[in-house]
Amino acid sequence: SSAACRLSSTTKPGDRYVTHDQLVEARRQLTIPMVAIGGITALNTPELIDAGVDAVAVIAALFDVEDSRQAAELFCQRINECH
């Protein structure tokens, strides 16, 4: 089981989103893995990890770009910088 949180998303317009403080509070209260979905970018991934998210689910930032490989490499770089 896991908990999912959503950011402002181009693929899910109109969905509710959560703030950094809400993520921190959720991490404090939950013992199950948290997954962020919606509006995920390589730039906001470190902030999400810092807030306690265990994983990110990415669509547009990897597949709505000219070079998916380069985008994936940037995600890996940003995630590795957090550890």
Side-chain angles (χ1 to χ4, degrees):
S1 180
S2 66
C5 58
R6 288 204 168 116
L7 303 177
S8 180
S9 170
T10 59
T11 58
K12 297 169 197 67
D15 273 5
R16 295 181 349 166
Y17 63 94
V18 297
T19 67
H20 182 270
D21 290 342
Q22 288 170 321
L23 288 175
V24 170
E25 181 62 20
R27 174 74 292 153
R28 190 181 71 71
Q29 292 185 28
L30 298 173
T31 58
I32 58 175
M34 289 191 339
V35 179
I37 184 171
I40 308 302
T41 67
L43 295 177
N44 65 18
T45 294
E47 180 182 353
L48 295 167
I49 292 170
D50 180 61
V53 168
D54 298 295
V56 293
V58 183
I59 299 172
L62 288 177
F63 300 107
D64 288 350
V65 295
E66 192 171 311
D67 188 340
S68 291
R69 181 185 180 104
Q70 182 180 21
E73 288 172 354
L74 181 57
F75 265 96
C76 290
Q77 177 185 346
R78 299 289 292 188
I79 291 168
N80 287 334
E81 291 170 358
C82 296
H83 298 283

